[in-house]
Amino acid sequence: MSPVNLATSSSPHYESLPLTKHPNNPIDYDNDPNHDYTVLAYAIPIPYRLNSNGILFSLFTILFLTTSLYYLWPSNPELTIVRLKLNKFNAHAFPAKLDVELDLKVRVLNKDVYDLVYRSVTVEVVYRGSKLGFVEAKGGKVKAKGVSYVNATLRFDGIEVLEDAVFLIEDLARGVVTIDTVSAVEGKVGFVYVYIPIKAKVSCEVDINTSDHTIRRENCFSE
């Protein structure tokens, strides 16, 4: 057997295979002119499409519900002092004491479409931020959109104001003592066994002339 001449034997021949367009083969389909593909579009069905009448009906329903809620939602009653009469007033510097007797008439306005049931009306007398005392009138009922009047008399004899003695002496020197009255009502309104608690308050700032024991000025405001 003659030896094989490796030097003269021909080199193996390799040919590149065509690329197979397979989903797993990372081929740039956008830049491949030989590739044809189809884009499928799917239409999603819309179960309901609003027309102009449906939109108007929805807006009207929202407006109706909002308006009804505004008028039906309970609100706090409105308190007004319609009469404030000073029957008695004395101020003593040593020791610092006050004698006060006031008659008040409180107007309770129920602005709601439900009846208002209140437990009581409380009236306090305050001097320089310190509560001197209070009186409580019995409760009652105010019909829807109705008005009720409550009378209260505050009578305090020899109420000590030791912590505010310096201020009392100053007030007596200038001839005017200022006291505050705070009237408050608490109750509930509602219907069909659903009740919502409500409350209201009105304060009056009263300047009393110490020489003739009369009211010089009064200023009332709701809180």
Side-chain angles (χ1 to χ4, degrees):
M1 177 181 295
S2 60
V4 177
N5 189 358
L6 296 177
T8 59
S9 60
S10 60
S11 301
H13 180 69
Y14 297 95
E15 293 183 0
S16 59
L17 296 175
L19 292 175
T20 303
K21 298 175 182 178
H22 190 272
N24 296 327
N25 191 15
I27 302 175
D28 188 0
Y29 293 107
D30 295 334
N31 298 323
D32 187 3
N34 297 322
H35 179 71
D36 295 331
Y37 57 90
T38 302
V39 177
L40 298 178
Y42 296 92
I44 301 177
I46 301 177
Y48 178 73
R49 180 172 297 176
L50 287 176
N51 53 24
S52 58
N53 293 332
I55 295 176
L56 290 177
F57 177 77
S58 300
L59 293 176
F60 176 78
T61 302
I62 295 174
L63 180 62
F64 175 77
L65 293 177
T66 304
T67 305
S68 301
L69 183 62
Y70 175 79
Y71 283 102
L72 295 178
W73 187 258
S75 59
N76 292 329
E78 182 180 296
L79 295 188
T80 309
I81 303 298
V82 296
R83 187 187 71 220
L84 196 157
K85 181 182 178 183
L86 180 65
N87 296 330
K88 176 183 176 182
F89 179 82
N90 287 308
H92 311 277
F94 303 102
K97 293 183 179 181
L98 289 174
D99 301 328
V100 182
E101 183 177 329
L102 285 171
D103 278 339
L104 292 94
K105 189 174 186 179
V106 184
R107 178 177 181 263
V108 183
L109 170 62
N110 181 14
K111 299 179 291 185
D112 293 325
V113 296
Y114 322 107
D115 291 344
L116 163 65
V117 179
Y118 61 93
R119 295 188 298 271
S120 63
V121 175
T122 305
V123 183
E124 299 177 350
V125 173
V126 181
Y127 175 71
R128 295 286 184 173
S130 300
K131 184 170 68 173
L132 303 181
F134 71 96
V135 64
E136 190 174 78
K138 65 179 181 179
K141 182 178 180 180
V142 186
K143 294 183 178 181
K145 301 294 182 178
V147 177
S148 180
Y149 293 91
V150 179
N151 296 311
T153 299
L154 298 96
R155 186 181 295 109
F156 309 111
D157 295 323
I159 300 298
E160 295 184 350
V161 289
L162 299 179
E163 295 181 358
D164 302 308
V166 175
F167 297 110
L168 181 59
I169 294 173
E170 292 178 353
D171 291 342
L172 291 175
R174 66 188 179 94
V176 176
V177 174
T178 301
I179 63 173
D180 297 313
T181 65
V182 181
S183 304
V185 59
E186 294 187 10
K188 59 184 179 180
V189 295
F191 65 102
V192 195
Y193 305 105
V194 177
Y195 294 96
I196 298 177
I198 53 87
K199 59 182 178 179
K201 183 184 294 185
V202 59
S203 299
C204 292
E205 188 179 76
V206 183
D207 291 343
I208 301 175
N209 192 323
T210 58
S211 60
D212 57 7
H213 299 173
T214 58
I215 295 176
R216 175 183 294 183
R217 182 188 66 91
E218 62 179 88
N219 180 30
C220 300
F221 53 91
S222 300
E223 298 182 14

